[in-house]
mmCIF file with all atom_site columns, all heavy atoms in Angstrom:
data_model
loop_
_atom_site.group_PDB
_atom_site.id
_atom_site.type_symbol
_atom_site.label_atom_id
_atom_site.label_alt_id
_atom_site.label_comp_id
_atom_site.label_asym_id
_atom_site.label_entity_id
_atom_site.label_seq_id
_atom_site.pdbx_PDB_ins_code
_atom_site.Cartn_x
_atom_site.Cartn_y
_atom_site.Cartn_z
_atom_site.occupancy
_atom_site.B_iso_or_equiv
_atom_site.pdbx_formal_charge
_atom_site.auth_seq_id
_atom_site.auth_comp_id
_atom_site.auth_asym_id
_atom_site.auth_atom_id
_atom_site.pdbx_PDB_model_num
ATOM 1  N N   . PRO U 1 298 ? -5.345  10.059 15.529 1.00 0.00 ? 298 PRO U N   1
ATOM 2  C CA  . PRO U 1 298 ? -5.854  9.503  16.792 1.00 0.00 ? 298 PRO U CA  1
ATOM 3  C C   . PRO U 1 298 ? -4.748  9.448  17.841 1.00 0.00 ? 298 PRO U C   1
ATOM 4  O O   . PRO U 1 298 ? -3.580  9.212  17.516 1.00 0.00 ? 298 PRO U O   1
ATOM 5  C CB  . PRO U 1 298 ? -6.325  8.102  16.402 1.00 0.00 ? 298 PRO U CB  1
ATOM 6  C CG  . PRO U 1 298 ? -6.500  8.135  14.932 1.00 0.00 ? 298 PRO U CG  1
ATOM 7  C CD  . PRO U 1 298 ? -5.528  9.127  14.400 1.00 0.00 ? 298 PRO U CD  1
ATOM 8  N N   . PHE U 1 299 ? -5.133  9.649  19.087 1.00 0.00 ? 299 PHE U N   1
ATOM 9  C CA  . PHE U 1 299 ? -4.164  9.619  20.190 1.00 0.00 ? 299 PHE U CA  1
ATOM 10 C C   . PHE U 1 299 ? -4.815  8.866  21.342 1.00 0.00 ? 299 PHE U C   1
ATOM 11 O O   . PHE U 1 299 ? -5.843  9.283  21.871 1.00 0.00 ? 299 PHE U O   1
ATOM 12 C CB  . PHE U 1 299 ? -3.793  11.041 20.624 1.00 0.00 ? 299 PHE U CB  1
ATOM 13 C CG  . PHE U 1 299 ? -2.546  11.131 21.467 1.00 0.00 ? 299 PHE U CG  1
ATOM 14 C CD1 . PHE U 1 299 ? -1.299  11.217 20.873 1.00 0.00 ? 299 PHE U CD1 1
ATOM 15 C CD2 . PHE U 1 299 ? -2.620  11.110 22.851 1.00 0.00 ? 299 PHE U CD2 1
ATOM 16 C CE1 . PHE U 1 299 ? -0.136  11.300 21.640 1.00 0.00 ? 299 PHE U CE1 1
ATOM 17 C CE2 . PHE U 1 299 ? -1.477  11.186 23.632 1.00 0.00 ? 299 PHE U CE2 1
ATOM 18 C CZ  . PHE U 1 299 ? -0.225  11.283 23.018 1.00 0.00 ? 299 PHE U CZ  1
ATOM 19 N N   . GLY U 1 300 ? -4.232  7.718  21.703 1.00 0.00 ? 300 GLY U N   1
ATOM 20 C CA  . GLY U 1 300 ? -4.817  6.867  22.731 1.00 0.00 ? 300 GLY U CA  1
ATOM 21 C C   . GLY U 1 300 ? -4.873  7.535  24.089 1.00 0.00 ? 300 GLY U C   1
ATOM 22 O O   . GLY U 1 300 ? -4.050  8.398  24.417 1.00 0.00 ? 300 GLY U O   1
ATOM 23 N N   . LYS U 1 301 ? -5.863  7.132  24.884 1.00 0.00 ? 301 LYS U N   1
ATOM 24 C CA  . LYS U 1 301 ? -6.052  7.724  26.210 1.00 0.00 ? 301 LYS U CA  1
ATOM 25 C C   . LYS U 1 301 ? -4.809  7.589  27.070 1.00 0.00 ? 301 LYS U C   1
ATOM 26 O O   . LYS U 1 301 ? -4.459  8.486  27.843 1.00 0.00 ? 301 LYS U O   1
ATOM 27 C CB  . LYS U 1 301 ? -7.247  7.064  26.897 1.00 0.00 ? 301 LYS U CB  1
ATOM 28 C CG  . LYS U 1 301 ? -7.585  7.660  28.263 1.00 0.00 ? 301 LYS U CG  1
ATOM 29 C CD  . LYS U 1 301 ? -8.821  7.003  28.861 1.00 0.00 ? 301 LYS U CD  1
ATOM 30 C CE  . LYS U 1 301 ? -9.140  7.612  30.226 1.00 0.00 ? 301 LYS U CE  1
ATOM 31 N NZ  . LYS U 1 301 ? -10.333 6.978  30.837 1.00 0.00 ? 301 LYS U NZ  1
ATOM 32 N N   . SER U 1 302 ? -4.114  6.462  26.948 1.00 0.00 ? 302 SER U N   1
ATOM 33 C CA  . SER U 1 302 ? -2.917  6.227  27.766 1.00 0.00 ? 302 SER U CA  1
ATOM 34 C C   . SER U 1 302 ? -1.628  6.396  26.970 1.00 0.00 ? 302 SER U C   1
ATOM 35 O O   . SER U 1 302 ? -0.548  6.082  27.466 1.00 0.00 ? 302 SER U O   1
ATOM 36 C CB  . SER U 1 302 ? -2.961  4.811  28.365 1.00 0.00 ? 302 SER U CB  1
ATOM 37 O OG  . SER U 1 302 ? -4.119  4.641  29.156 1.00 0.00 ? 302 SER U OG  1
ATOM 38 N N   . GLN U 1 303 ? -1.752  6.878  25.722 1.00 0.00 ? 303 GLN U N   1
ATOM 39 C CA  . GLN U 1 303 ? -0.576  7.009  24.862 1.00 0.00 ? 303 GLN U CA  1
ATOM 40 C C   . GLN U 1 303 ? 0.389   8.053  25.407 1.00 0.00 ? 303 GLN U C   1
ATOM 41 O O   . GLN U 1 303 ? -0.024  9.099  25.904 1.00 0.00 ? 303 GLN U O   1
ATOM 42 C CB  . GLN U 1 303 ? -1.015  7.391  23.444 1.00 0.00 ? 303 GLN U CB  1
ATOM 43 C CG  . GLN U 1 303 ? 0.135   7.466  22.441 1.00 0.00 ? 303 GLN U CG  1
ATOM 44 C CD  . GLN U 1 303 ? -0.387  7.690  21.036 1.00 0.00 ? 303 GLN U CD  1
ATOM 45 O OE1 . GLN U 1 303 ? -1.475  7.248  20.679 1.00 0.00 ? 303 GLN U OE1 1
ATOM 46 N NE2 . GLN U 1 303 ? 0.395   8.392  20.218 1.00 0.00 ? 303 GLN U NE2 1
ATOM 47 N N   . VAL U 1 304 ? 1.674   7.754  25.309 1.00 0.00 ? 304 VAL U N   1
ATOM 48 C CA  . VAL U 1 304 ? 2.720   8.665  25.765 1.00 0.00 ? 304 VAL U CA  1
ATOM 49 C C   . VAL U 1 304 ? 3.392   9.278  24.546 1.00 0.00 ? 304 VAL U C   1
ATOM 50 O O   . VAL U 1 304 ? 3.876   8.573  23.665 1.00 0.00 ? 304 VAL U O   1
ATOM 51 C CB  . VAL U 1 304 ? 3.761   7.929  26.634 1.00 0.00 ? 304 VAL U CB  1
ATOM 52 C CG1 . VAL U 1 304 ? 4.902   8.874  27.006 1.00 0.00 ? 304 VAL U CG1 1
ATOM 53 C CG2 . VAL U 1 304 ? 3.098   7.357  27.880 1.00 0.00 ? 304 VAL U CG2 1
ATOM 54 N N   . GLY U 1 305 ? 3.423   10.621 24.488 1.00 0.00 ? 305 GLY U N   1
ATOM 55 C CA  . GLY U 1 305 ? 4.050   11.302 23.363 1.00 0.00 ? 305 GLY U CA  1
ATOM 56 C C   . GLY U 1 305 ? 5.554   11.425 23.509 1.00 0.00 ? 305 GLY U C   1
ATOM 57 O O   . GLY U 1 305 ? 6.288   11.393 22.533 1.00 0.00 ? 305 GLY U O   1
ATOM 58 N N   . SER U 1 306 ? 6.020   11.580 24.738 1.00 0.00 ? 306 SER U N   1
ATOM 59 C CA  . SER U 1 306 ? 7.454   11.755 24.980 1.00 0.00 ? 306 SER U CA  1
ATOM 60 C C   . SER U 1 306 ? 7.772   11.261 26.379 1.00 0.00 ? 306 SER U C   1
ATOM 61 O O   . SER U 1 306 ? 7.005   11.488 27.317 1.00 0.00 ? 306 SER U O   1
ATOM 62 C CB  . SER U 1 306 ? 7.840   13.230 24.837 1.00 0.00 ? 306 SER U CB  1
ATOM 63 O OG  . SER U 1 306 ? 9.147   13.465 25.336 1.00 0.00 ? 306 SER U OG  1
ATOM 64 N N   . SER U 1 307 ? 8.909   10.581 26.506 1.00 0.00 ? 307 SER U N   1
ATOM 65 C CA  . SER U 1 307 ? 9.313   10.099 27.831 1.00 0.00 ? 307 SER U CA  1
ATOM 66 C C   . SER U 1 307 ? 9.733   11.256 28.737 1.00 0.00 ? 307 SER U C   1
ATOM 67 O O   . SER U 1 307 ? 9.759   11.118 29.960 1.00 0.00 ? 307 SER U O   1
ATOM 68 C CB  . SER U 1 307 ? 10.468  9.100  27.688 1.00 0.00 ? 307 SER U CB  1
ATOM 69 O OG  . SER U 1 307 ? 11.601  9.730  27.092 1.00 0.00 ? 307 SER U OG  1
ATOM 70 N N   . ALA U 1 308 ? 10.050  12.408 28.129 1.00 0.00 ? 308 ALA U N   1
ATOM 71 C CA  . ALA U 1 308 ? 10.479  13.563 28.915 1.00 0.00 ? 308 ALA U CA  1
ATOM 72 C C   . ALA U 1 308 ? 9.399   14.633 29.002 1.00 0.00 ? 308 ALA U C   1
ATOM 73 O O   . ALA U 1 308 ? 9.126   15.165 30.073 1.00 0.00 ? 308 ALA U O   1
ATOM 74 C CB  . ALA U 1 308 ? 11.748  14.156 28.301 1.00 0.00 ? 308 ALA U CB  1
ATOM 75 N N   . MET U 1 309 ? 8.773   14.925 27.832 1.00 0.00 ? 309 MET U N   1
ATOM 76 C CA  . MET U 1 309 ? 7.804   16.019 27.768 1.00 0.00 ? 309 MET U CA  1
ATOM 77 C C   . MET U 1 309 ? 6.400   15.438 27.766 1.00 0.00 ? 309 MET U C   1
ATOM 78 O O   . MET U 1 309 ? 5.844   15.088 26.717 1.00 0.00 ? 309 MET U O   1
ATOM 79 C CB  . MET U 1 309 ? 8.068   16.860 26.518 1.00 0.00 ? 309 MET U CB  1
ATOM 80 C CG  . MET U 1 309 ? 9.436   17.543 26.548 1.00 0.00 ? 309 MET U CG  1
ATOM 81 S SD  . MET U 1 309 ? 9.949   18.220 24.944 1.00 0.00 ? 309 MET U SD  1
ATOM 82 C CE  . MET U 1 309 ? 10.531  16.728 24.112 1.00 0.00 ? 309 MET U CE  1
ATOM 83 N N   . ALA U 1 310 ? 5.802   15.343 28.948 1.00 0.00 ? 310 ALA U N   1
ATOM 84 C CA  . ALA U 1 310 ? 4.548   14.618 29.124 1.00 0.00 ? 310 ALA U CA  1
ATOM 85 C C   . ALA U 1 310 ? 3.381   15.235 28.367 1.00 0.00 ? 310 ALA U C   1
ATOM 86 O O   . ALA U 1 310 ? 2.385   14.563 28.103 1.00 0.00 ? 310 ALA U O   1
ATOM 87 C CB  . ALA U 1 310 ? 4.212   14.532 30.615 1.00 0.00 ? 310 ALA U CB  1
ATOM 88 N N   . TYR U 1 311 ? 3.481   16.486 27.996 1.00 0.00 ? 311 TYR U N   1
ATOM 89 C CA  . TYR U 1 311 ? 2.375   17.187 27.342 1.00 0.00 ? 311 TYR U CA  1
ATOM 90 C C   . TYR U 1 311 ? 2.291   16.885 25.847 1.00 0.00 ? 311 TYR U C   1
ATOM 91 O O   . TYR U 1 311 ? 1.312   17.240 25.184 1.00 0.00 ? 311 TYR U O   1
ATOM 92 C CB  . TYR U 1 311 ? 2.536   18.702 27.524 1.00 0.00 ? 311 TYR U CB  1
ATOM 93 C CG  . TYR U 1 311 ? 3.824   19.235 26.936 1.00 0.00 ? 311 TYR U CG  1
ATOM 94 C CD1 . TYR U 1 311 ? 3.915   19.635 25.609 1.00 0.00 ? 311 TYR U CD1 1
ATOM 95 C CD2 . TYR U 1 311 ? 4.979   19.312 27.721 1.00 0.00 ? 311 TYR U CD2 1
ATOM 96 C CE1 . TYR U 1 311 ? 5.095   20.100 25.069 1.00 0.00 ? 311 TYR U CE1 1
ATOM 97 C CE2 . TYR U 1 311 ? 6.174   19.774 27.193 1.00 0.00 ? 311 TYR U CE2 1
ATOM 98 C CZ  . TYR U 1 311 ? 6.230   20.173 25.874 1.00 0.00 ? 311 TYR U CZ  1
ATOM 99 O OH  . TYR U 1 311 ? 7.404   20.617 25.344 1.00 0.00 ? 311 TYR U OH  1
#
Side-chain angles (χ1 to χ4, degrees):
F299 196 86
K301 183 177 180 181
S302 301
Q303 184 173 329
V304 176
S306 168
S307 61
M309 296 166 281
Y311 60 88

